[in-house]
């Protein structure tokens, strides 16, 4: 209820309506805020890594980890509510995918200006949809999912493969945070 929201933030109900006009306006503002915050984290992770492939891996790992751990983001995606999110992954995800395509492309091209802008936009669209899918489907291993998406994106863009140390660090981080892998996957 809008009254409860107004009370929670310490303003009048009329102020909430003047700012957001209705519940849909408030929901839209929340989705925009969460999406931009999510992408801010990608920007920081991408910019903080050394080397083209490592940048992609750092950004993708951030997105997947945040998606797995952030309750507000998960609620926005309908993950923990048990809702059917097919609409979000198809036409309903258009605003999220468009924002990701714009922001991630801008970040990538700012740090890797030699890449083809059209290919970067295509890669970021694929990245956005795969990230949403992995978040919604509750991936078993964030490091493996990030590595797979990184390999797909960097191969598409013609960048070098991730180094073995990067792969091992991602696997070790996942083992440390999620416990031992099942016996059938430990030696793969």
């Amino acid at each position: 209820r809008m009254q409860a929201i107004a009370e929670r933030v310490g303003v009048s109900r009329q102020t909430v309506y003047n700012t957001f006009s209705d519940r849909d306006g408030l929901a839209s503002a929340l989705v925009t805020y969460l999406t931009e915050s999510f992408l801010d984290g990608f920007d920081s992770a991408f910019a903080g890594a050394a080397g083209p492939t490592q940048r992609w891996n750092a950004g993708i790992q951030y997105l997947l980890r945040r998606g797995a751990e952030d309750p507000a983001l998960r609620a926005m995606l309908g993950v923990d509510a048990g809702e059917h999110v097919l609409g979000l992954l198809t036409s309903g995800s258009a605003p999220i995918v468009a924002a990701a395509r714009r922001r991630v492309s801008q970040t990538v091209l700012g740090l890797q200006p030699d890449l083809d802008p059209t290919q970067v936009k295509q890669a970021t669209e694929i990245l956005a949809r795969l990230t949403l899918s992995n978040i919604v489907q509750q991936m078993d291993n964030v490091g493996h999912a990030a590595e797979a998406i990184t390999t797909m994106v960097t191969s598409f863009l013609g960048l070098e493969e991730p180094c073995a140390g990067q792969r091992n660090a991602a696997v070790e981080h996942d083992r440390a945070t999620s416990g031992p892998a099942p016996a059938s996957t430990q030696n793969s």
Side-chain angles (χ1 to χ4, degrees):
R1 294 180 8 133
M2 296 294 263
Q3 181 64 41
I5 292 168
E7 290 171 5
R8 175 81 180 207
V9 296
V11 299
S12 71
R13 186 174 61 130
Q14 189 58 47
T15 299
V16 174
Y17 276 107
N18 288 345
T19 304
F20 301 108
S21 75
D22 60 17
R23 282 185 247 185
D24 289 341
L26 177 61
S28 177
L30 181 59
V31 167
T32 298
Y33 170 78
L34 288 171
T35 300
E36 291 300 319
S37 170
F38 190 55
L39 296 173
D40 287 345
F42 174 88
D43 292 350
S44 295
F46 190 90
T53 301
Q54 291 79 13
R55 285 181 177 146
W56 281 100
N57 191 263
I60 291 167
Q61 286 229 17
Y62 168 81
L63 293 175
L64 294 176
R65 287 191 197 292
R66 168 102 184 258
E69 298 168 359
D70 184 327
L73 187 61
R74 294 178 66 73
M76 177 183 81
L77 297 174
V79 173
D80 294 327
E83 296 174 20
H84 184 54
V85 292
L86 182 59
L88 179 64
L89 294 175
T90 56
S91 61
S93 66
I96 297 169
V97 173
R101 187 174 51 240
R102 175 185 50 81
R103 282 280 302 278
V104 172
S105 293
Q106 182 180 23
T107 298
V108 168
L109 291 170
L111 292 166
Q112 298 177 329
D114 53 319
L115 295 176
D116 179 289
T118 300
Q119 282 190 313
V120 169
K121 286 181 183 175
Q122 292 168 338
T124 58
E125 175 127 8
I126 292 165
L127 168 63
R129 293 184 186 282
L130 286 173
T131 299
L132 289 171
S133 178
N134 273 279
I135 292 168
V136 170
Q137 294 300 315
Q138 305 247 348
M139 66 221 118
D140 291 329
N141 186 302
V142 171
H144 290 149
E147 185 178 328
I149 295 171
T150 298
T151 299
M152 186 180 310
V153 169
T154 57
S155 294
F156 177 78
L157 293 171
L159 301 172
E160 77 270 7
E161 290 294 316
C163 64
Q166 179 183 343
R167 271 190 220 133
N168 292 337
V171 169
E172 289 305 316
H173 181 273
D174 279 341
R175 283 186 185 145
T177 59
S178 64
S184 64
T185 61
Q186 283 182 343
N187 295 325
S188 55

